[in-house]
Amino acid sequence: MSDVEKVPSRSLVEVTDLTVEFGDLRAVDGLSLRLERGAALALVGESGSGKSTVASALLGLHRGTGARVGGAIDVAGVDVQQASDEQLRRLRGGKAAMVFQDPLSSLDPYYAIGDQIAEVHRVHTRATRRAARARAVEVLDRVGIPDALRRSRSRPHEFSGGMRQRALIAMALACEPDLLIADEPTTALDVTVQAQILDLLHTLREETGMGLLLVTHDVGVAAESVDEVLVMRHGRAVEHGPVSAVLGSPAQPYTRELLGAVPRVDAATRARSESSEGPADVVLEATGLRREFGRGKRAFTAVDDVSLTIRRGETLGIVGESGSGKTTLGRMLVGLLEPTAGEVRHEGHARVGVDPAVQMVFQDPVSSLNPRRSVGESIADPLRARGESDEGRIHERVRELLERVGLEAAHYDRYPHEFSGGQRQRVGIARALAADPRVIVCDEPVSALDVTTQAQVVALLGELQRELGLALVFVAHDLAVVRQVSDRVAVMRRGRIVEEGPADAVYDSPQDPYTKQLLAAVPALDPLIAAQRRGARRELAVVSAVQV
């Protein structure tokens, strides 16, 4: 037995005075933590807090990157700092496995899911090809992939986002690790799939006894999944303790600030947009919208007979799971997609093509901004498209817009990669405002942001709405955020609106079973309530299985 592969200590993970530096940046600064066998710990914090850097350090993933790592790291009896490359390879996937945020980038697009899992199993166990394939099917079945034998032959693009995440968890389980590290495993998933993944992780921990280190910026996800929480800020531990104590009675101001930024699904909606004089004018109206993709037998109806109205100064929230048609509906409202049937009217007139008065803020500001152009030039595009030719006026207006959304006028010449996620989203909002719109359609504008940045962007949208009289269509799968911002809510499922009404009525007294299902899947900040909901979902799954 080598010096670095010791007899396993009492704790599964022991980290002492960990530091990680990238050049002049100290990403982790003197962090210590301990995770017992079979326990679950969440690292919670904003983007840039250092939590993912810690997770990578546990598996020695910074080795060879130029990062300077100090302190002591012991994982499953392996001294990570002193381990050889071969010993680290045996640790990764064998004793400790990691599930990353984006499963699509973690899986090889050219190989079947089952073959990729089998290869991991063979590398660590030297099993035969037949045994490794059998193990792949076994773990795919274990994580809830239906018809696991057949689906093991599918490639990643043939799986939904939730199924790809399940496949990554199956790969992690292939060698029965002592530790599972899950880095933002539910960030891109809708609320019901998120609940399924969190329930799966909880069940696997109960049945296998593995330890879980969960990295997340979502405090609600932590409440659903772990025993202890470690709150990080600027690379340091701010607060650490049992999840019920940290979330129920936080001792530190920063933890209280973090919790205060979390939108609550049970919080009353803001004041109504209607005045005592009656409802405001309708600025956007959709009648009988339908959108099909493909032809013949492959035709798919994404939106089916949807009608709605948006009034001046109000926010209409549109919620639903991935594939419900909400993004397609948003793109038709803006004019980026023409409806197969139905009509969109702006201020009483039928819309033809893209209307500058209806603008869109996209989910991913990185892909919606040209990386080769400065943000100032991107914001200036709508001004030039309207016929403005005076470059002095254009530059002045863009600088005003940058300052209006909380950035600096001097940022005109900077490029998208020089901004944080929240700042890039502010650039997207500034670009939408450049056209002087009456309506802005926001497509998942905060889904990739941590809770404090999310709160800042939501507050900015509300401030702009009040000052400019804008109408907002807020498309999102996060029900808590939608309740926070919306006057009215429309719930979509399979291309149709199944329930619509004032936000408080829809949330407090949902009528459609699907709406009730969505609300039941929202993470609860109280661990006791989270456990009750998890038990209820488990009972419902058993009943459904028996009925089938």
Side-chain angles (χ1 to χ4, degrees):
M1 181 182 299
S2 68
D3 291 337
V4 294
E5 293 189 65
K6 306 171 291 186
V7 175
S9 60
R10 183 176 61 84
S11 297
L12 177 60
V13 177
E14 292 185 17
V15 175
T16 307
D17 198 26
L18 174 66
T19 61
V20 182
E21 297 177 332
F22 301 95
D24 296 331
L25 173 66
R26 177 165 285 198
V28 181
D29 188 6
L31 185 79
S32 297
L33 63 87
R34 176 174 291 182
L35 176 64
E36 305 302 332
R37 295 177 181 276
L41 169 68
L43 298 183
V44 176
E46 300 172 277
S47 299
S49 62
K51 55 189 187 296
S52 291
T53 303
V54 173
S56 296
L58 295 185
L59 296 182
L61 296 177
H62 297 304
R63 183 172 295 186
T65 66
R68 299 187 301 277
V69 182
I73 308 170
D74 185 286
V75 177
V78 176
D79 184 339
V80 174
Q81 291 285 69
Q82 300 301 320
S84 66
D85 290 345
E86 176 59 30
Q87 288 163 340
L88 283 181
R89 279 193 292 270
R90 290 202 299 269
L91 171 68
R92 300 166 185 162
K95 295 182 178 181
M98 195 163 184
V99 176
F100 294 93
Q101 177 176 348
D102 181 10
L104 196 57
S105 63
S106 304
L107 294 166
D108 193 314
Y110 295 104
Y111 291 94
I113 293 285
D115 290 343
Q116 296 185 55
I117 297 173
E119 181 63 21
V120 170
H121 187 62
R122 289 189 68 214
V123 165
H124 289 281
T125 66
R126 298 182 181 178
T128 64
R129 291 184 182 275
R130 177 176 295 180
R133 288 196 186 101
R135 177 60 177 166
V137 173
E138 179 185 343
V139 292
L140 283 171
D141 181 70
R142 179 66 198 82
V143 300
I145 299 292
D147 197 2
L149 177 59
R150 180 179 65 85
R151 296 312 302 266
S152 69
R153 305 186 189 103
S154 301
R155 288 173 171 75
H157 74 273
E158 299 176 273
F159 277 27
S160 67
M163 287 180 65
R164 283 195 291 265
Q165 198 61 282
R166 287 175 184 268
L168 270 190
I169 294 172
M171 185 180 294
L173 294 175
C175 299
E176 300 180 349
D178 298 319
L179 171 67
L180 179 66
I181 302 171
D183 188 1
E184 300 280 9
T186 64
T187 296
L189 304 179
D190 58 59
V191 64
T192 52
V193 179
Q194 172 179 273
Q196 293 166 9
I197 295 298
L198 295 178
D199 289 350
L200 172 62
L201 290 175
H202 189 272
T203 301
L204 291 172
R205 188 163 65 91
E206 283 184 334
E207 295 180 353
T208 66
M210 69 179 182
L212 172 67
L213 182 76
L214 177 68
V215 176
T216 180
H217 67 255
D218 191 326
V219 182
V221 167
E224 289 270 343
S225 314
V226 301
D227 310 309
E228 294 189 357
V229 172
L230 191 155
V231 180
M232 292 189 66
R233 187 185 193 192
H234 303 324
R236 289 180 169 270
V238 174
E239 189 163 353
H240 184 193
V243 61
S244 56
V246 173
L247 301 187
S249 302
Q252 299 300 317
Y254 175 71
T255 309
R256 292 195 290 271
E257 177 186 331
L258 200 63
L259 286 168
V262 177
R264 307 295 180 97
V265 76
D266 55 355
T269 308
R270 62 180 193 170
R272 302 267 72 80
S273 294
E274 295 180 3
S275 68
S276 58
E277 299 175 356
D281 297 333
V282 172
V283 291
L284 193 66
E285 183 178 12
T287 306
L289 287 187
R290 180 182 177 88
R291 175 68 194 198
E292 296 177 356
F293 293 96
R295 294 180 179 178
K297 294 182 179 180
R298 295 189 176 185
F300 170 71
T301 302
V303 174
D304 188 8
D305 193 24
V306 167
S307 298
L308 50 81
T309 59
I310 300 101
R311 298 181 181 276
R312 176 174 49 82
E314 80 164 347
T315 299
L316 172 67
I318 300 178
V319 299
E321 297 175 283
S322 299
S324 63
K326 56 188 188 296
T327 292
T328 301
L329 173 60
R331 289 174 180 265
M332 285 194 288
L333 294 177
V334 174
L336 295 177
L337 284 175
E338 287 299 319
T340 305
E343 182 180 62
V344 177
R345 301 177 69 85
H346 176 243
E347 296 187 332
H349 303 286
R351 192 215 64 227
V352 178
V354 177
D355 189 337
V358 185
Q359 291 293 308
M360 195 165 199
V361 175
F362 295 91
Q363 176 177 357
D364 182 7
V366 177
S367 61
S368 62
L369 293 172
N370 189 330
R372 295 181 177 83
R373 302 181 71 212
S374 72
V375 297
E377 288 300 295
S378 291
I379 295 171
D381 285 341
L383 298 172
R384 295 191 176 107
R386 287 193 308 172
E388 179 63 66
S389 58
D390 187 324
E391 287 300 313
R393 290 182 180 177
I394 290 174
H395 280 242
E396 181 180 356
R397 176 60 175 153
V398 170
R399 290 187 171 92
E400 289 176 358
L401 288 168
L402 284 168
E403 292 179 341
R404 185 66 199 79
V405 298
L407 299 174
E408 298 177 18
H411 288 163
Y412 187 108
D413 294 317
R414 291 191 179 183
Y415 289 82
H417 73 272
E418 299 180 76
F419 293 88
S420 67
Q423 289 175 322
R424 284 193 290 262
Q425 200 56 286
R426 290 173 184 267
V427 172
I429 295 170
R431 182 175 57 182
L433 291 176
D436 290 328
R438 300 291 302 279
V439 183
I440 296 181
V441 177
C442 304
D443 184 17
E444 299 278 10
V446 297
S447 63
L449 306 178
D450 58 59
V451 289
T452 50
T453 307
Q454 175 178 282
Q456 292 164 7
V457 172
V458 166
L460 172 62
L461 287 170
E463 183 182 328
L464 293 170
Q465 183 180 38
R466 288 187 296 272
E467 292 185 6
L468 304 177
L470 296 169
L472 297 179
V473 179
F474 200 95
V475 178
H477 65 256
D478 190 325
L479 277 77
V481 172
V482 170
R483 178 162 197 177
Q484 181 184 8
V485 304
S486 302
D487 300 295
R488 292 186 297 117
V489 173
V491 181
M492 289 194 70
R493 186 187 191 197
R494 297 176 182 172
R496 288 180 171 268
I497 292 178
V498 298
E499 187 162 359
E500 182 181 4
D504 289 342
V506 171
Y507 278 76
D508 295 337
S509 302
Q511 301 301 304
D512 191 88
Y514 177 68
T515 308
K516 296 177 182 178
Q517 177 186 342
L518 286 179
L519 290 169
V522 175
L525 288 178
D526 186 330
L528 292 178
I529 296 177
Q532 292 169 357
R533 290 183 178 179
R534 184 166 52 245
R537 290 193 295 265
R538 186 177 296 180
E539 290 178 6
L540 181 61
V542 171
V543 171
S544 300
V546 171
Q547 291 175 343
V548 172

